């Protein structure tokens, strides 16, 4: 059976997705995924053409639900605890002590995980902070996680993880902070609610501004889905959201020097970090 989506219309919806979310879809790689999604969604809405679906998405979506459904379908949410682990160690051993030293007493230290997917990244930050212990005893640390996909944010809030997701957590840490539940693991009560999660699009300036200022921003494995212009826009948004001297950490395949030149790059124990 033919799809409702034609190659020509793929270009139209691809452009719409790109403009609204920065996600750059390629016809060769993503046509089938988007076409299947539109067939399914149009059937649910009782529509028989791409035109009707696209009209609803663009002009009849006042509460943004249709766009949210589409985002939930197109995003790639791959993540796991302690991914690119060296960065968490640099955070607790080098960055936090330095920020703690130079920040006025009583001011909380704020860390943003953008994007956080199902929560493994911000909870890995929390686990490293509580395990390291020194700074957290003397200073409030707030961790915020955001993602454009509302289904992953729901899962992050539920704090239940698969065996695969926790595979890289050392066993003593896993049994100390998690409870085995059925086939997976649930975050223990002490750490429940330690991350403040929100659905937010990094291209939505109002949503991003509402989150406030941060001292550290983790933005790992999202910019790879964007093109250069979108990467630049997001990098500048992060720059504006950082307090002076704050840091950005990117995924291992992402380099700030290729995007913007406003940050100072520093190498600590083979980990690149970028300072405002
Ligand atoms: C591969 S995951 C990375 C998760 C985590 N940072 C990590 O490295 O394990 C990429 C996430 O980026 C999110 N994302 C894509 N575009 C976004 C946007 N415009 N605003 C916020 N999040 C976005 C996706 O929903 C997805 O959950």
């Amino acid at each position: 059976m033919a799809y409702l989506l034609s190659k020509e219309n793929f270009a139209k919806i691809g452009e719409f997705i790109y403009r609204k979310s920065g996600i750059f879809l390629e016809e060769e790689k993503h046509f089938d995924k988007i076409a299947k999604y539109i067939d399914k969604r149009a059937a649910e809405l009782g529509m028989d053409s791409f035109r009707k679906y696209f009209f609803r998405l663009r002009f009849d979506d006042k509460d943004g639900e249709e766009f949210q459904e589409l985002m939930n379908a197109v995003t790639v949410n791959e993540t796991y605890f302690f991914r690119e682990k060296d960065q968490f160690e640099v955070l607790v051993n080098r960055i936090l002590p330095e920020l703690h030293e130079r920040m006025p007493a009583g001011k909380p230290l704020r860390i943003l995980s953008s994007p956080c997917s199902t929560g493994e990244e911000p909870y890995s930050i929390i686990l490293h902070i509580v395990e390291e212990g020194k700074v957290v005893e003397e200073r409030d640390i707030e961790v915020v996680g955001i993602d454009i996909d509302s289904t992953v944010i729901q899962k992050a809030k539920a704090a239940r993880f698969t065996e695969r997701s926790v595979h890289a957590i050392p066993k003593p840490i896993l049994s100390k902070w998690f409870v085995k539940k059925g086939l997976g693991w649930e975050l223990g009560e002490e750490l429940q609610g330690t991350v403040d999660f929100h659905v937010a699009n990094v291209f939505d300036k109002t949503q991003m501004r509402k989150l406030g200022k941060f001292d550290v921003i983790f933005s790992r494995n999202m910019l790879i889905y964007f093109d250069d212009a979108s990467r630049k826009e997001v990098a500048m948004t992060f720059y504006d959201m950082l307090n002076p001297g704050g840091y950005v950490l990117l995924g291992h395949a992402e380099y700030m020097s290729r995007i913007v030149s406003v940050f100072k790059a520093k190498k600590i124990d083979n980990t690149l970090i970028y300072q405002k």
Side-chain angles (χ1 to χ4, degrees):
M1 199 190 80
Y3 293 127
L4 294 179
L5 185 69
S6 65
K7 303 264 158 159
E8 191 192 348
N9 287 334
F10 176 85
K12 288 189 192 158
I13 194 161
E15 197 277 329
F16 175 83
I17 292 171
Y18 168 70
R19 193 160 33 81
K20 300 269 281 187
S21 72
I23 298 170
F24 185 73
L25 299 176
E26 292 168 59
E27 189 185 300
E28 267 168 45
K29 276 200 219 156
H30 302 106
F31 182 84
D32 280 335
K33 180 176 173 177
I34 300 298
K36 279 182 190 146
Y37 170 76
I38 291 172
D39 280 3
K40 180 180 133 287
R41 189 65 191 142
E44 283 164 8
L45 296 166
M47 292 172 175
D48 56 6
S49 71
F50 171 78
R51 191 179 53 75
K52 288 181 190 158
Y53 165 74
F54 200 39
F55 181 88
R56 179 182 170 104
L57 181 65
R58 285 179 305 165
F59 306 118
D60 190 15
D61 187 27
K62 285 178 201 68
D63 51 10
E65 255 174 48
E66 205 51 56
F67 177 66
Q68 188 65 64
E69 286 281 339
L70 177 64
M71 283 302 102
N72 295 357
V74 302
T75 53
V76 177
N77 309 117
E78 160 69 11
T79 188
Y80 55 89
F81 277 93
F82 291 27
R83 182 181 197 180
E84 297 166 16
K85 181 175 179 299
D86 296 355
Q87 296 185 326
F88 300 115
E89 279 163 15
V90 166
L91 173 77
V92 291
N93 295 323
R94 306 292 289 271
I95 298 178
L96 294 185
E98 185 223 295
L99 290 171
H100 176 57
E101 222 16 68
R102 96 174 129 78
M103 271 171 49
K107 192 173 179 289
L109 234 151
R110 303 191 75 227
I111 304 171
L112 176 66
S113 164
S114 163
C116 65
S117 188
T118 35
E120 285 83 340
E121 180 177 286
Y123 286 129
S124 296
I125 294 174
I126 294 280
L127 286 169
H128 278 80
I129 291 173
V130 291
E131 281 291 314
E132 182 268 349
K134 278 178 254 140
V135 171
V136 74
E137 279 157 23
E138 296 168 41
R139 160 118 31 207
D140 278 349
I141 302 181
E142 293 174 12
V143 180
V144 177
I146 66 149
D147 202 286
I148 197 170
D149 183 336
S150 61
T151 56
V152 293
I153 291 295
Q154 264 171 22
K155 287 188 186 162
K157 286 182 178 166
R160 280 183 166 228
F161 303 96
T162 60
E163 202 64 68
R164 191 192 157 277
S165 154
V166 301
H167 77 275
I169 306 180
K171 292 287 167 289
I173 298 183
L174 183 65
S175 51
K176 183 166 160 195
W177 298 107
F178 292 79
V179 182
K180 184 93 183 107
K181 280 270 162 83
L183 293 177
W185 293 84
E186 190 174 284
L187 193 68
E189 258 175 35
E190 309 92 310
L191 297 186
Q192 292 269 351
T194 49
V195 178
D196 188 16
F197 289 107
H198 301 275
V199 178
N201 178 355
V202 291
F203 291 97
D204 187 324
K205 302 266 186 299
T206 318
Q207 286 178 344
M208 295 305 275
R209 216 173 291 126
K210 268 196 202 146
L211 299 170
K213 296 278 184 188
F214 291 88
D215 302 293
V216 183
I217 298 178
F218 274 69
S219 184
R220 308 187 312 161
N221 306 305
M222 171 182 70
L223 298 177
I224 39 171
Y225 300 104
F226 298 167
D227 72 348
D228 285 348
S230 306
R231 285 182 192 132
K232 200 173 218 158
E233 185 176 338
V234 176
M236 289 316 292
T237 299
F238 290 154
Y239 187 83
D240 292 340
M241 290 171 79
L242 277 176
N243 288 320
Y247 291 99
V248 175
L249 287 89
L250 300 179
H252 281 176
E254 299 159 329
Y255 297 93
M256 195 59 99
S257 52
R258 296 188 192 152
I259 309 174
V260 289
S261 55
V262 289
F263 291 96
K264 273 179 279 160
K266 284 188 178 178
K267 200 167 193 181
I268 302 182
D269 307 338
N270 273 331
T271 293
L272 266 176
I273 60 175
Y274 301 93
Q275 188 170 32
K276 177 169 175 174

